[in-house]
Amino acid sequence: MVTLMLDSAHLEVVLGAVEHALSFRRQNLLIDRDTIARVQLTDDAWTWLRGVPDPGTYLPVAVAMGNWKSSGGRDFAIIRRRRPSIVIDLEGHDEFQRVILTTRHGPQLIRALRLEDIHEAADVAELASDAAPEA
């Protein structure tokens, strides 16, 4: 599973060894926060997948990882089975138009993206819990 790290300027999608191998990507994905146009939660990431792997790994309803090329542009996906996921629409990113990730930390990412005063990169799950109002 991916780890989402956030600071005041970037969202970094930290890939594990399996994700690096199956996505054919050597480095983690770095996204400038100002290129994030929208973040949506979804229970079925497969409906958001468009195009063909280029390069990537695709096993229907099991795994989709890597770059996806379509008439709408290039997307990056890390999808595992039918688990909660996020769809991040990008504007002005030099590599992708959309990022689709299976993660249980989607709600935490949305809360953490609302924070502006983040000096050091931190896991979004920790940022969101630190920023949650006390009951």
Side-chain angles (χ1 to χ4, degrees), residues 1-4 13-29 55-57 63-68 76-80 83 100-103:
M1 186 169 292
V2 298
T3 301
L4 303 172
V13 180
V14 181
L15 306 175
V18 171
E19 288 91 1
H20 279 293
L22 294 179
S23 68
F24 298 94
R25 187 171 181 88
R26 293 182 185 191
Q27 298 179 348
N28 294 331
L29 179 61
T57 301
V63 67
M65 294 189 189
N67 296 341
W68 293 80
F76 182 76
I78 299 288
I79 302 172
R80 291 191 166 136
R83 296 184 180 160
I100 308 163
L101 303 170
T102 297
T103 178

Side-chain angles (χ1 to χ4, degrees), residues 111 128-135:
R111 277 193 298 264
S129 66
D130 290 346
E134 295 182 22

Side-chain angles (χ1 to χ4, degrees), residues 54-117:
D54 183 43
T57 301
Y58 176 64
L59 299 168
V61 193
V63 67
M65 294 189 189
N67 296 341
W68 293 80
K69 185 177 179 182
S70 73
S71 61
R74 295 183 68 78
D75 298 342
F76 182 76
I78 299 288
I79 302 172
R80 291 191 166 136
R81 295 195 164 70
R82 295 206 185 271
R83 296 184 180 160
S85 302
I86 56 172
V87 179
I88 304 169
D89 289 316
L90 304 173
E91 290 180 2
H93 191 268
D94 55 347
E95 204 173 353
F96 301 111
Q97 282 71 43
R98 181 185 290 165
V99 176
I100 308 163
L101 303 170
T102 297
T103 178
R104 64 177 183 263
H105 298 298
Q108 291 90 340
L109 174 62
I110 291 171
R111 277 193 298 264
L113 282 170
R114 292 182 183 139
L115 303 173
E116 294 183 16
D117 192 26

